[in-house]
Each structure stands twice: as C-alpha cells, then as structure tokens.
Amino acid sequence: MFEADVLDVPVQHASMESRATPGSDPTSVLAAADLLLPYRSESVAAARRFVGAQLQEWGLEDLVDDAVVIVSELTTNSLKTGCRTRMLVGVRRPTGRTVRILVGDGSRSMPVVIQAGPDATSGRGLAMVHRLTCGRWGVTLLPFGKVVHADLATPPPIPR
C-alpha cells in the first residue's frame, strides 16, 4: 500500500486507483489517487510527498514543484479551520496534460485571498495558488464541509 512508502504519520485510509476508458488514448487516461490524513501538522509534509510521488508515477515531473507548493498551502489552510473530522487529499488526472489537486475538510469556512502586507508573516498562500494555477482554482461546498481544488497543466507540445 502507498502509505508505507510516503507517510510518516498514521493514516486513516489511503487508496489509489487508476481508471482508463476503454479504447482511450493512454495520455488522456482518467486517473485518481486519494489519501485521508489526520489533522496534524505532519500531514502537510505527507500530502506533499503523496502528490509528488503520484505525479512522478504519472510522468508529470514538470508539475511536481508547483503541485507540492499548492497542496502545502491547501492542507495548511485546512489545518487552520480547527476542523477535526477529516482531511482528504486527492489528485486527479482529467486529461493527459492536466492534474487537479483537491483538499477536502469538514469546515464550510470559505478560503479568502487577502492582500498581505510586505511585513506579514502569513497570508500569501492562496495568492500563490492563484498565480501558479493561472486562476484555475475554486471551492465546492458540501453539506458537511468543502473541497478546494486547483488545476495545473503542462504546456502544450511545441509543433515541429
């Protein structure tokens, strides 16, 4: 199971699955991996390792640096909600060149991009997510929480 390779914190549940549509192009395989983590500061590092390893497995090494920054910011925000029910970290591959990073928690408190001053020690996370994703991020409210998602894409191939 994946958790032994990636995690240093106890995990409530870890699952990885890949789903391919019959007859589909292998570069446009729909794939998914999820990890349920405890609300502990160590889970931020575990989420980074999980997402980085998954993107490496999918051959998307060029997205790893940005993806681990994004998942770090989103999981850190989840820790700050004070919620203790669950934190789900997921990564999806809806197309061959796109990944979606998801962090779900049990709080309906909406994330807000703020204008952090030059001397501020925090408050720049969502602005960074916005910049890294070119504004392709959002929130889905659920009856008992929310999922924050952020999309990254590899650049299109250069025609020859």
Side-chain angles (χ1 to χ4, degrees):
M1 181 55 96
F2 192 83
E3 61 192 274
D5 297 332
V6 180
L7 302 175
D8 294 327
V9 296
V11 177
Q12 296 167 347
H13 174 266
S15 70
M16 293 191 323
E17 71 179 73
S18 294
R19 298 177 296 271
T21 306
S24 66
D25 179 341
T27 62
S28 64
V29 169
L30 177 63
D34 295 316
L35 183 65
L36 194 55
L37 292 168
Y39 281 89
R40 298 206 333 234
S41 59
E42 299 88 13
S43 292
V44 176
R48 282 194 302 263
R49 290 189 301 272
F50 172 70
V51 169
Q54 189 58 57
L55 295 185
Q56 292 278 349
E57 181 178 314
W58 289 341
L60 298 171
E61 294 84 4
D62 53 334
L63 296 179
V64 170
D65 291 342
D66 290 348
V68 297
V69 168
I70 290 167
V71 78
S72 292
E73 294 303 329
L74 299 183
T75 54
T76 298
N77 285 351
S78 282
L79 288 174
K80 291 178 183 177
T81 66
C83 179
R84 298 288 177 241
T85 58
R86 65 187 186 281
M87 179 175 17
L88 176 72
V89 175
V91 61
R92 305 287 184 267
R93 189 175 183 185
T95 72
R97 292 188 6 234
T98 305
V99 295
R100 173 169 278 191
I101 298 161
L102 308 122
V103 175
D105 61 42
S107 169
R108 290 179 52 92
S109 173
M110 296 293 284
V112 178
V113 178
I114 61 171
Q115 297 293 326
D119 296 332
T121 59
S122 65
R124 294 180 181 84
L126 284 177
M128 230 180 342
V129 169
H130 186 81
R131 187 171 51 254
L132 291 171
T133 63
C134 300
R136 294 184 312 260
W137 70 279
V139 182
T140 302
L141 284 175
L142 304 171
F144 301 102
K146 67 179 173 301
V147 175
V148 182
H149 60 86
D151 294 348
L152 284 174
T154 61
I158 299 171
R160 295 183 186 228

